Amino acid sequence: MARLPRLTLPGHLHHVIQRGNNRQSIVLDDADRTALLDAVAENAKKYQVALHAYVLMDNHVQLLLTPETADGVPRMMQAIGRRYVRHFNARHGRTGTLWEGRYRSTLLQAERYLLPCMAYLDLNPVRAGLVTDPVHHVWSSHRHYVGQGSDRRITPHPAYWRLGNTPFAREAAYAELVRSGLSAAQLTVITNALLHGWALGEPDFMAALQAQTDRRVSKGKPGRPPSQRTSASD
């Protein structure tokens, strides 16, 4: 089945993943990690995209973004890809592609899914067995949101601000949310939406979203051939 065109609309929350080709590493050391995250931050600013959260793993990067324009996310991701591949290839004496084709993304109702998706990103290194506590994975936005550091790349979403009236209250509430973890159902719905490009939200949100685009925003009727299942943590 042909892959659907990506759904991208201004003013909405987007969950994006870019993987290394054949699940290979996209970073080999901390200099690479810094270069990639700098490229993300600089191009987010350039193309008027708010970066709310991120997690950088060895073989992929995941981002939560809100663009101001319809082409903000595609232009940002294209610029990141070109700039970082030049850096990586020159630094490591290699040629050719680095990415596993085009990035994948989905559009989310922020009021319902921002915080679960932030926790989903933060817990990615835990699910992968790299750490037992997300605070120990320094290449994510988790430490910023729980008061363990300050990350100038980040623009908190209004849904995060509603967690409390003070920074301490918000940090404590978010830390508890992450400690509580995500249910198997939450993990499944977020992963499937991201990998297949379906939007996530309440029925009214989905209906309003569908009215803005000719592209289907949710899974079709039963009976379509199943896609091969994979994991956004791999």
Side-chain angles (χ1 to χ4, degrees):
M1 182 172 62
R3 186 181 299 176
L4 289 171
R6 283 186 297 260
L7 178 62
T8 177
L9 293 171
H12 288 286
L13 180 66
H14 295 65
H15 183 185
V16 171
I17 185 171
Q18 179 71 78
R19 279 202 178 102
N21 187 41
N22 200 30
R23 309 293 176 90
Q24 295 174 347
S25 293
I26 59 173
V27 291
L28 297 183
D29 55 26
D30 287 355
D32 286 344
R33 294 180 181 93
T34 298
L36 179 51
L37 292 179
D38 284 350
V40 169
E42 290 170 23
N43 283 288
K45 182 177 181 179
K46 179 177 181 180
Y47 293 108
Q48 299 177 289
V49 178
L51 172 62
H52 304 305
Y54 66 87
V55 63
L56 175 55
M57 305 288 282
D58 285 349
N59 64 1
H60 74 270
V61 61
Q62 292 189 53
L63 311 169
L64 290 179
L65 310 166
T66 299
E68 293 185 19
T69 64
D71 63 354
V73 171
R75 294 180 71 189
M76 169 190 166
M77 295 303 295
Q78 183 181 61
I80 292 167
R82 289 175 174 172
R83 169 174 158 176
Y84 181 70
V85 171
R86 287 196 301 269
H87 157 91
F88 189 85
N89 284 353
R91 189 163 183 264
H92 299 293
R94 68 183 299 277
T95 60
T97 186
L98 178 64
W99 307 118
E100 183 189 64
R102 65 181 193 167
Y103 69 90
R104 295 172 183 256
S105 69
T106 187
L107 196 150
L108 311 171
Q109 183 180 11
E111 293 77 9
R112 171 83 182 267
Y113 284 104
L114 173 79
L115 296 173
C117 279
M118 286 174 60
Y120 180 93
L121 266 61
D122 290 348
L123 291 167
N124 198 318
V126 177
R127 292 193 298 273
L130 301 180
V131 295
T132 57
D133 188 324
V135 78
H136 297 143
H137 186 79
V138 301
W139 303 101
S140 82
S141 50
H142 178 75
R143 292 169 60 86
H144 176 87
Y145 282 112
V146 298
Q148 296 294 312
S150 179
D151 193 333
R152 290 179 294 178
R153 304 178 184 99
I154 296 301
T155 300
H157 191 280
Y160 170 79
W161 289 97
R162 290 195 284 271
L163 281 174
N165 293 325
T166 66
F168 178 80
R170 289 188 290 271
E171 291 159 5
Y174 182 69
E176 180 56 34
L177 184 151
V178 175
R179 276 194 296 271
S180 298
L182 298 174
S183 68
Q186 286 176 307
L187 287 170
T188 297
V189 73
I190 292 171
T191 297
N192 286 342
L194 176 61
L195 297 182
H196 298 291
W198 303 123
L200 284 178
E202 301 286 355
D204 288 350
F205 172 84
M206 297 293 283
L209 199 61
Q210 187 64 79
Q212 298 179 61
T213 178
D214 293 331
R215 186 257 206 210
R216 287 186 294 115
V217 302
S218 59
K219 189 175 181 179
K221 294 180 179 179
R224 294 180 179 272
S227 299
Q228 183 176 359
R229 299 187 69 178
T230 186
S231 168
S233 298
D234 292 345

